[in-house]
Amino acid sequence: MRTDLAVIGAGPAGLAAALAAARRGIRVTLIDAAPRPGGQYFRQPAPGLRTEHAQVPRNGRRTWTRLRDALAASPVDVRTDHQVWCVERESDGLTVHALTGPEGREPAEVRATAVLLATGGYETVLPFPGWTLPGVVTAGGAQAMLKGGIVTPGPTAVVAGTGPLLLPVATGLAAAGVRVAALVESTDPVRLPRHAGALAGKLPEAAGYAARLLRHRVPVLARHTVVRAHGEDRLTGVTVAALDAHGRVRPGTERLLPCDALAVGHGMLPHTDLAGSLGCRLDGTAVAVDAEQRTDVPGVWAAGEATGIGGAALALAEGHIAGRSIAARLRGRTPDPRAWAPAARARAQGRAAAGALDALHTPPAHWADGVTDDTVVCRCEEVPAGAVREALPLGAGDLRTVRLLTRAGMGWCQGRLCAPAVAALTGCAPTPYRRPFARPVPLGVLAAQHDRPRPRSEEGSS
C-alpha cells in the first residue's frame, strides 16, 4: 500500500488541501521542510520561546487555530523536517524524494497516486551599493527571525522596497520594540485609485496596518527608494531619495537615515522548481492550473503561491478547491464545482486583488541606473554588476548565455535571488531557470537511487 495524496508544503494552501481531501476519505501525507506546520505565514516560534500565537498576524489567528486543531484531529500523516528535492513520475504513480535527519542528509521517499505542489514562493531583492553588508536582511528574513526566533535584526531599522509584505514587517518590528526609522516604499500612491475596486476587500487590513504605523510613529516615505547602504564591517545607515514620476531618483533629495538594520524586499516569485522538473506548464513565472487547480501533468495539482503570489486567503481557497478536486478524481468521479462555490468566489477575489497589487507595487523603472559596476549582483559566485553588463558586448542575448559567461546564478541558490537583477541589468527577458533538483543533494543519495531497482516506500507511509 501507499498513500493516496502527498501534499508538499504545509503552509495555508497545503493545510487546506490536506484537510479537504482527508475529510473525504483520502489518505494524505503532508510533507514540509520546517519543524512544524504553518508555512511562512503561520510560522510558529520554536518550542519554549513564547506563547503559541506570538507572531501570527492578528487577522489570521482564528484561521490558524482552526487549521491547527483540525490537523491534530485528522488522520493526516504529517512529516516535518523533510526537504523535498525531487518528485519522480513512474508508471504507477509518483515518488516524492526528500532529505531528512539531523543533518538533512538521510534519504526518505513517499509514494503517492497524486501530488499537490504547495511549495510557496521566495523573495526578490534587487541589488544596490552596500546591500551585502551585515545588517541588511530581506523583509521576509526579518519576519522569519521575528516569528520563528523571537529576535530582531537590530535596535533601529529601516524597512524598504516595495510590496504589501513591508507593512507586516514594519509593524511587527515596531511592536517588538524596534525603532523603525522609516518605511520606504517606492510605489507612487497616486496610482492607488485606479486599483481601488479590486483592492476594496483589502481596505480593512490596510487600515489596521496604517493605524499601527501611526501608533508606533513610523514615518512612511512613499515614492522613495534606498540608493545606498553605508558601513564598513556592518550597516550604519542608508541613503534614501525621492523618485520622480518615471522612477528616476530626483537629484538633491538624498538623505541619510542612521540604522542598524535594513529589511528590504521587492516582491516575491512563485517557487516552481518541482513543477518545472515534472514538466508542468508554466504561465509566466507561475505554475499553470485549471479551475480545479490541476496542472497539465496527470496526477499533479498545485495551489497557493506556486500558482501566483496572492497571500494567505487566496492560498487557502485554492488549497481547499484542490483537496476536494483530488478527492473526487481519486474516487473516479468528476467533481461538481458548485460544491466549492464559496471558495471559488474567494479565489476570484483573491486573484483580482493579487493582480492589482502586482501592478501597483513595481520596482522603480530605472533602479538599475544606480547599481555601480562594483556592486555584487550574484552573492553566491560574487559576480559584480560590471561583469554582467560586459556580457552583452560579448554576445549574450539571453539569461542562459549571461550565466555561462559570468557564472551569475551558478551558485548555491541557482539564480533564485540574482536572476531578476541579471535580467534587468542586461535587458534579457526574465525566464524561469530549469533546475533538475529543488535543493542540493549528496552524491551518495543520488547513487543509491540509481542502484535501487524500485523506490522503497518510507516506513509508515503505507
Side-chain angles (χ1 to χ4, degrees), residues 14 42 47 77 114 131 153 169 207 222 237 239 261 283 387 403 432:
F42 295 124
D77 175 16
W131 78 299
V169 172
T239 294
D283 183 3
R403 192 182 193 192

Side-chain angles (χ1 to χ4, degrees), residues 29 33 58 76 103 112-113 119 142 145 164 221 227 234 274 290 339 342 351 398 416 420 424:
T29 299
R58 292 186 182 188
V76 172
E103 298 181 358
T113 305
T119 47
M145 292 169 65
L221 302 178
V227 295
R234 65 163 293 110
L274 293 176
D290 65 8
R351 287 180 176 175
D398 54 61
R416 292 179 181 87

Side-chain angles (χ1 to χ4, degrees), residues 6 18 25 34 41 54 60 76 86 105 131 139 163 166 174 176 218 225 232 249 270 286 296 299 376 399 404 426:
Y41 188 74
V76 172
C86 177
R105 301 175 67 88
W131 78 299
L166 302 186
V218 177
T225 189
E232 293 295 332
V249 169
D296 62 343
V376 171
L399 286 183
L404 293 174
T426 58

Side-chain angles (χ1 to χ4, degrees), residues 351-406:
R351 287 180 176 175
L357 288 171
D358 187 53
L360 184 63
H361 292 286
T362 55
H366 295 276
W367 69 265
D369 295 350
V371 180
T372 55
D373 280 348
D374 61 347
T375 301
V376 171
V377 174
C378 171
R379 301 181 69 154
C380 300
E381 294 291 315
E382 298 184 347
V383 180
V388 172
R389 287 171 171 141
E390 289 171 2
L392 289 177
L394 293 176
D398 54 61
L399 286 183
R400 182 176 180 275
T401 308
V402 175
R403 192 182 193 192
L404 293 174
L405 289 173
T406 66

Side-chain angles (χ1 to χ4, degrees), residues 141 239 247 255 276 278 335 431:
T239 294
R255 56 171 151 160
L278 277 165
T431 53

Side-chain angles (χ1 to χ4, degrees), residues 7 9-11 15 29-39 64 71 76-84 98-102 104 106 108 110 458:
V7 176
L15 287 169
T29 299
L30 179 61
I31 307 166
D32 196 90
R36 305 173 72 181
W64 166 244
L71 185 65
V76 172
D77 175 16
V78 180
R79 303 194 176 198
T80 54
D81 292 313
H82 278 55
Q83 301 189 46
V84 177
L99 295 171
T100 188
E106 297 176 13
V110 175
E458 189 182 22

